[in-house]
């Protein structure tokens, strides 16, 4: 119904903004990524999604169309509501979410507050094909990242480290250095374990 809002930014907080459009103030719920990318000047354009429930009509705002599309895909999954989808968009960029789904990285998706193992797997099953069709992700980067990560995790497990703990550290290493070789992933992970 409402697909975008252009107007003057009246109020701004990490979770919501108020945009004045010709005298009408629209309250939009936003992610932290949108908050950090909002321009300092007053005039803004936000792409929106209107969530209608029995008890509430909630307007969500996004800095770009990609984030909005990722949000819409996430809420199409059973068990993922708008608030969990917004939390996911706050804790990862749209590209990181797409990468995690495309590479079937359950641990990254499950690291979001409110998403358990079953929901994370459902997100991957429901959205992997859509993500690969809709967004331009190179299959090579998905394969190599996942392979390097798996090899690094196996090596750390052989060295006697807990796999779950190692996975968190390796994931954070790959966030900072996505093109890291297996050796450098292991070296950086060992410093943090």
């Amino acid at each position: 119904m409402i697909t975008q809002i252009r107007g003057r930014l009246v109020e701004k907080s990490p979770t919501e903004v108020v945009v004045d459009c010709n005298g009408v103030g629209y309250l939009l719920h936003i992610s932290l990524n949108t908050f950090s990318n909002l321009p300092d000047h007053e005039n803004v354009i936000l792409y929106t999604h209107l969530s209608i429930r029995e008890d509430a009509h909630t307007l969500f705002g996004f800095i770009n169309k990609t984030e909005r599309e990722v949000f819409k895909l996430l809420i199409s999954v059973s068990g993922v509501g708008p608030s969990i989808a917004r939390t996911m968009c706050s804790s990862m960029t749209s590209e990181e979410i797409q990468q995690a789904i495309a590479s079937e990285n359950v641990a990254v998706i499950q690291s979001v507050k409110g998403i358990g193992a079953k929901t994370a797997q459902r997100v991957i099953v429901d959205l992997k094909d859509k993500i690969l069709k809709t967004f331009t992700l190179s299959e090579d980067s998905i394969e190599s990242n996942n392979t390097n990560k798996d090899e690094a995790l196996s090596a750390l497990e052989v060295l006697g480290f807990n796999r779950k703990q190692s996975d968190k550290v390796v994931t954070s290493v790959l966030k900072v250095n996505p093109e890291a070789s297996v050796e450098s992933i292991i070296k950086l992970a060992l410093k943090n374990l």
Side-chain angles (χ1 to χ4, degrees):
M1 186 176 154
I2 300 172
T3 191
Q4 83 174 30
I5 289 188
R6 178 194 311 248
R8 192 169 58 85
L9 193 59
V10 181
E11 291 177 35
K12 176 181 168 182
S13 78
T15 56
E16 56 192 35
V17 293
V18 175
V19 178
D20 182 326
C21 297
N22 298 324
V24 178
Y26 289 92
L27 174 71
L28 292 100
H29 296 269
I30 59 170
S31 69
L32 288 174
N33 285 325
T34 295
F35 175 76
S36 61
N37 288 312
L38 275 173
D40 292 331
H41 57 80
E42 289 187 335
N43 292 323
V44 293
I45 296 176
L46 289 174
Y47 300 96
T48 60
H49 174 76
L50 180 62
S51 171
I52 299 176
R53 292 195 331 242
E54 252 180 59
D55 58 342
H57 290 219
T58 311
L59 198 56
F60 292 89
F62 307 95
I63 198 71
N64 56 42
K65 289 181 180 178
T66 305
E67 187 180 24
R68 179 176 65 182
E69 289 311 309
V70 168
F71 178 85
K72 285 178 168 180
L73 285 173
L74 288 171
I75 61 174
S76 72
V77 176
S78 173
V80 178
S83 62
I84 290 176
R86 180 173 70 159
T87 303
M88 198 165 183
C89 289
S90 292
S91 50
M92 293 185 269
T93 65
S94 303
E95 291 73 26
E96 288 169 340
I97 294 170
Q98 294 167 34
Q99 196 72 41
I101 292 169
S103 62
E104 298 183 25
N105 196 333
V106 177
V108 170
I109 296 168
Q110 198 177 337
S111 69
V112 175
K113 186 177 184 284
I115 293 185
K118 285 184 179 177
T119 306
Q121 289 166 342
R122 196 177 308 122
V123 165
I124 289 169
V125 169
D126 289 1
L127 300 183
K128 184 175 181 190
D129 291 340
K130 291 177 186 172
I131 288 284
L132 290 173
K133 282 179 192 166
T134 312
F135 301 101
T136 54
L137 292 169
S138 75
E139 286 286 342
D140 298 337
S141 71
I142 294 164
E143 299 291 321
S144 67
N145 260 356
N146 217 13
T147 308
N148 286 355
K149 182 179 180 181
D150 290 343
E151 285 182 35
L153 285 172
S154 297
L156 290 168
E157 205 169 14
V158 169
L159 292 171
F161 291 97
N162 177 328
R163 184 160 181 107
K164 199 171 188 177
Q165 188 181 6
S166 299
D167 190 68
K168 284 182 183 175
V169 174
V170 168
T171 301
S172 65
V173 165
L174 284 171
K175 265 187 185 175
V176 176
N177 203 347
E179 299 302 315
S181 67
V182 177
E183 294 82 7
S184 57
I185 293 172
I186 294 169
K187 285 178 186 173
L188 291 166
L190 287 172
K191 289 178 184 174
N192 297 316
L193 281 169

